[in-house]
């Protein structure tokens, strides 16, 4: 008897383009979300977009409340929940980078409220996903969370954000190549559940981004358009999979370990990109495709070395040798890369 079942939870409205921030209220109205909005944001995103979103709701007479968050932590999620309860919020709007959006989707999930994603940076593929990523002591959780009912991605704002945030988003997408390889490996060796559609979509998203890399340039709003489309597509792959597997493999474990060792030093996307160069080497060897990954990153101006990340060589080795401990997710790192092997891959790929 066939007993398989799945829920694929996707956004209903994905609004992308120049000046669409002012359509946030319409995107919400079309979803029949009611009650008081709680706008979750952080200081800079509030300046570049949050205040305008609040003014838009206020003009409609919905009396929005705002809460500022800085870090992705369970404590921050609880704080948003308390603010939402106090404000008797009807729905949540996350305005900011990846951390703000993760906190908002996790709080919305616990509250049982709808959530709208308003990214102010094209820096990560969590803008659409129904997953939240939270560090917790020695581990890093990928938590099932409320996927956004709507995404409002204003390319004018995204193109105006510091360029490094956009190259980080590109690198988060390029890392899908190795994430999918890790997922396939885990299917072969550990019989983990694998989705052909999610794997193919994730890989194709990375390929299309790399094919379009000539059009991804600083001060070109079309770049934000291309990158957001890829981020949405990658997020959809995660939703189809029901896990972050299509977009998060060993390169992400390496990045999560760097977040513990040297927090706040480099952007998530940049770290996973450098991790991807090395894990591609581990997958396919010296003559394999690691050069293509490195060249793709270099062509959009993302870091490809420890120095460009601003991270010490020894920290790279430490992160690579301990990344497998971060979570129970089988990858090319297996039960751990030892120090000589880590040094060899980091040197051979020019990362250190
Ligand atoms: N849930 C998921 O599926 C995914 C989650 N993530 C998570 O997202 C986080 C990484 O996201 P990031 O956006 O790289 O980090 P972030 O949220 O820390 O943002 C980076 C910085 O950019 C600033 N910023 C945002 N928009 C700006 C603008 N328009 N102008 C100037 N500054 C601006 C933020 O205030 C922050 O200081 C990580 O915690 C990562 O684990 C990443 C990918 C997928
Ligand atoms: O960053 C992600 C996908 O790009 C997902 O992060 P996790 O590794 O925490 O699942
Ligand atoms: Zn990522």
């Amino acid at each position: 008897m066939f007993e398989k079942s799945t829920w694929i939870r996707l956004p209903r409205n994905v609004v992308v383009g120049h000046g669409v921030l002012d359509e946030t209220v319409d995107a919400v109205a079309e979803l029949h979300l009611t009650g008081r909005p709680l706008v979750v944001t952080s200081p800079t995103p509030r300046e570049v977009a949050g205040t305008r979103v609040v003014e838009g709701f206020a003009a409609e007479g919905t009396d929005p409340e705002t809460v500022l968050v800085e870090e992705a932590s369970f404590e921050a999620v609880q704080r948003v929940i308390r603010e939402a309860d106090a404000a008797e919020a009807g729905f949540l709007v996350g305005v900011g980078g990846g951390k703000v959006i993760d906190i908002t989707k996790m709080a919305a999930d616990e509250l049982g409220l709808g959530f709208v994603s308003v990214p102010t940076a094209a820096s990560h593929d969590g803008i659409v996903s129904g997953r939240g990523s939270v560090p917790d002591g020695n581990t890093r959780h990928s938590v099932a969370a409320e996927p956004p009912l709507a995404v409002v991605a204003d390319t004018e704002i995204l193109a105006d954000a510091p360029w490094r945030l956009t190259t980080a988003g590109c690198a988060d997408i390029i890392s899908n190549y190795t994430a999918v390889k890790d997922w396939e490996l885990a299917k072969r060796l550990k019989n983990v559940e694998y989705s052909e559609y999610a794997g193919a979509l994730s890989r194709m998203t990375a390929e299309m981004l790399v094919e379009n890399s000539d059009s991804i340039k600083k001060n070109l709003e079309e770049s934000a358009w291309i990158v957001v489309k890829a981020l949405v597509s990658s997020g959809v792959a995660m939703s189809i999979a029901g896990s972050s597997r299509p977009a998060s493999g060993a390169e992400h474990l390496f990045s999560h370990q760097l977040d513990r060792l040297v927090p706040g030093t480099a952007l998530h996307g940049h770290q996973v990109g450098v991790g991807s160069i090395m894990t591609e080497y581990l997958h396919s060897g010296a003559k394999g495709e690691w050069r293509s990954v490195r060249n793709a990153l270099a062509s959009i101006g993302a870091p490809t070395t420890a120095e460009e990340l601003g991270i010490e060589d020894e920290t790279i080795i430490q992160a690579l040798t301990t990344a497998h401990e971060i979570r129970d997710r089988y990858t090319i790192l297996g039960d751990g890369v030892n120090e000589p092997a880590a040094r060899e891959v980091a040197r051979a790929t020019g990362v250190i």
Side-chain angles (χ1 to χ4, degrees):
M1 197 167 72
F2 185 80
E3 288 182 342
K4 236 172 144 177
S5 71
T6 184
W7 279 45
I8 299 176
R9 304 181 72 209
L10 298 164
R12 168 159 152 178
N13 294 331
V14 178
V15 187
V16 184
H18 183 91
V20 298
L21 187 72
D22 296 325
E23 293 171 39
T24 308
V25 171
D26 296 337
V28 166
E30 208 267 343
L31 294 165
H32 309 295
L33 284 173
T34 53
R36 198 174 179 196
L38 177 68
V39 175
V40 184
T41 187
S42 62
T44 309
R46 181 191 208 173
E47 265 175 49
V48 301
T51 304
R52 244 167 83 197
V53 170
V54 167
E55 285 168 359
F57 282 116
E60 296 290 307
T62 49
D63 189 21
E65 185 59 85
T66 302
V67 56
L68 290 178
V69 292
E70 303 270 10
E71 279 310 313
S73 66
F74 288 113
E75 202 284 314
V77 174
Q78 290 310 314
R79 197 155 61 79
V80 171
I81 290 171
R82 284 196 297 275
E83 294 284 342
D85 283 339
E88 297 183 15
F91 60 95
L92 270 49
V93 185
V95 182
K99 288 177 187 158
V100 164
I101 289 175
D102 272 359
I103 292 165
T104 314
K105 66 173 74 151
M106 286 187 279
D109 195 60
E110 234 176 278
L111 288 157
L113 294 178
F115 140 67
V116 175
S117 168
V118 183
T120 57
S123 51
H124 62 99
D125 58 7
I127 62 177
V128 166
S129 78
R131 313 295 306 178
S133 181
V134 195
D136 186 21
N138 292 338
T139 187
R140 177 88 174 207
H141 299 284
S142 172
V143 189
E146 186 69 19
L149 292 168
V151 180
V152 180
D154 189 325
T155 50
E156 189 180 15
I157 289 171
L158 301 173
D160 223 32
W163 177 240
R164 66 192 187 95
L165 292 170
T166 307
T167 64
C170 294
D172 206 14
I173 295 296
I174 290 168
S175 82
N176 288 7
Y177 280 122
T178 49
V180 174
K181 284 193 177 186
D182 280 318
W183 195 16
E184 288 169 338
L185 182 75
K187 176 186 185 291
R188 287 197 296 271
L189 295 187
K190 302 290 171 187
N191 199 33
V192 305
E193 200 173 331
Y194 179 80
S195 158
E196 296 283 350
Y197 281 102
L201 178 59
S202 175
R203 193 186 296 108
M204 184 195 75
T205 303
E207 280 164 5
M208 284 183 67
L209 185 95
V210 172
E211 278 165 22
N212 282 303
S213 59
D214 284 353
S215 309
I216 303 175
K217 291 194 177 77
K218 198 172 174 174
N219 301 325
L220 187 68
E221 191 170 333
E222 192 195 345
S223 305
W225 173 268
I226 294 168
V227 180
V228 162
K229 290 287 194 78
L231 297 171
V232 169
S233 177
S234 189
V236 168
M238 286 192 257
S239 296
I240 293 173
S243 94
S244 61
R245 265 286 192 183
S248 171
E251 74 297 318
H252 272 66
L253 301 181
F254 165 76
S255 166
H256 297 336
Q257 198 60 294
L258 287 177
D259 285 344
R260 291 185 55 233
L261 295 168
V262 280
T265 306
L267 288 167
H268 167 86
H270 290 165
Q271 292 178 170
V272 303
V274 170
S276 217
I277 301 173
M278 295 190 288
T279 62
E280 179 56 53
Y281 184 96
L282 292 172
H283 271 288
S284 58
K287 294 193 177 133
E289 289 155 23
W290 66 269
R291 281 191 186 81
S292 312
V293 175
R294 185 196 58 189
N295 295 345
L297 293 166
S299 76
I300 46 109
T304 59
T305 65
E307 194 180 358
E308 285 169 0
L309 284 177
I311 293 176
E312 298 284 331
D313 291 357
E314 287 315 303
T315 311
I316 296 287
I317 301 301
Q318 203 184 340
L320 196 54
T321 51
T322 55
H324 64 289
E325 294 165 4
I326 275 277
R327 70 161 66 118
D328 185 18
R329 175 169 290 192
Y330 192 82
T331 69
I332 191 67
L333 301 175
D335 62 359
V337 177
N338 71 16
E339 198 190 310
R343 240 174 250 290
E344 161 64 22
V345 58
R347 283 198 184 124
T349 53
V351 168
I352 65 170

